[in-house]
Amino acid sequence: GAVVSQHPSWVICKSGTSVKIECRSLDFQATTMFWYRQFPKQSLMLMATSNEGSKATYEQGVEKDKFLINHASLTLSTLTVTSAHPEDSSFYICSAREPRTDNSPLHFGNGTRLTVT
Amino acid sequence: EDKVVQSPLSLVVHEGDTVTLNCSYEVTNFRSLLWYKQEKKAPTFLFMLTSSGIEKKSGRLSSILDKKELFSILNITATQTGDSAVYLCAVGQTSGSRLTFGEGTQLTVNP
């Protein structure tokens, strides 16, 4: 079945540094990928839609200059958290849909636990 | 504003019990409703529902959608400790591929 791979699975960084998270679709091409954030005991919140070859679409309230998204190929999207602060500590998950049909379910990566100290 | 509401938020049962999880929604241009199970990491797909009244079944899990009343239920029969997880309901719309998630139901099955 379709697999979405996310790396790293966890990262600890110091305040002020930047962290890059990669999301790859392993056996299908994804023109669109989605980035979610999840705080403890809360639901997934969509941050942005990553579009291959064009700019990402950000949800209201998400700072595009802070959360840089690059979708350089049909199998890779990256999320860079710039100048990270402790309040950015969260669980970040990417997802992608197989292009077979318009209504196929989203497949999720295993997520990245970011801790900013 | 699009909204997905799940209830209960938390549920504790004993092994062998049957549980029903609820999901109601208010979204524009509804396309599909999906159920996911989330344990420690990312959600895993359970069901996708697009038509009213057609039950989807997988082992001890089943789900049905009511597009008139705008809700879905997820049933788990003969629960096992391995069913302990957060169950997420999400609604997809016809415009684009984004999903709107509910808050989830934390299910704990005790031996």
Side-chain angles (χ1 to χ4, degrees):
Chain A
V3 176
V4 175
S5 173
Q6 193 171 335
H7 177 80
S9 55
W10 61 270
V11 57
I12 302 172
C13 71
K14 290 186 177 180
S15 196
T17 61
S18 295
V19 174
K20 180 186 281 189
I21 304 170
E22 292 187 349
C23 180
R24 294 181 185 273
S25 56
L26 294 185
D27 54 1
F28 65 98
Q29 293 182 331
T31 55
T32 304
M33 292 185 178
F34 303 90
W35 288 96
Y36 294 84
R37 180 167 55 185
Q38 187 177 35
F39 291 106
K41 297 188 179 181
Q42 294 188 26
S43 187
L44 295 169
M45 297 299 296
L46 180 65
M47 298 175 65
T49 302
S50 172
N51 304 298
E52 189 271 335
S54 64
K55 291 182 180 180
T57 305
Y58 289 82
E59 295 300 301
Q60 192 173 8
V62 178
E63 299 175 59
K64 61 181 180 181
D65 293 332
K66 180 168 184 63
F67 298 100
L68 300 179
I69 290 173
N70 184 282
H71 196 148
S73 77
L74 288 171
T75 59
L76 173 64
S77 174
T78 60
L79 168 68
T80 302
V81 183
T82 63
S83 187
H85 290 284
E87 55 265 32
D88 297 325
S89 299
S90 187
F91 191 54
Y92 293 86
I93 308 175
C94 71
S95 68
R97 168 173 284 128
E98 290 182 77
R100 291 178 309 184
T101 68
D102 289 339
N103 210 17
S104 54
L106 281 178
H107 296 281
F108 289 87
N110 272 333
T112 298
R113 174 78 58 195
L114 171 63
T115 303
V116 185
T117 60
Chain B
E1 184 183 340
D2 298 329
K3 191 166 57 174
V4 178
V5 178
Q6 290 186 246
S7 65
L9 293 181
S10 178
L11 187 58
V12 181
V13 300
H14 291 289
E15 267 192 318
D17 288 350
T18 293
V19 298
T20 298
L21 310 182
N22 304 291
C23 175
S24 63
Y25 61 91
E26 292 179 32
V27 300
T28 54
N29 303 315
F30 173 88
R31 166 181 270 177
S32 58
L33 186 144
L34 299 93
W35 285 96
Y36 288 87
K37 176 182 181 182
Q38 185 176 24
E39 296 174 88
K40 292 183 179 178
K41 292 191 174 179
T44 54
F45 172 75
L46 295 176
F47 297 112
M48 180 165 67
L49 303 156
T50 56
S51 302
S52 278
I54 299 174
E55 185 184 51
K56 291 278 183 97
K57 196 170 173 64
S58 176
R60 296 177 293 104
L61 278 67
S62 63
S63 184
I64 197 161
L65 173 68
D66 186 328
K67 289 168 74 173
K68 183 180 177 184
E69 299 298 328
L70 308 183
F71 79 92
S72 172
I73 59 172
L74 174 68
N75 277 323
I76 308 176
T77 60
T79 52
Q80 302 171 358
T81 55
D83 295 327
S84 296
V86 174
Y87 289 83
L88 293 166
C89 171
V91 174
Q93 297 163 266
T94 54
S95 52
S97 301
R98 56 181 296 175
L99 294 179
T100 302
F101 281 85
E103 287 188 67
T105 294
Q106 172 73 61
L107 173 66
T108 303
V109 181
N110 290 323

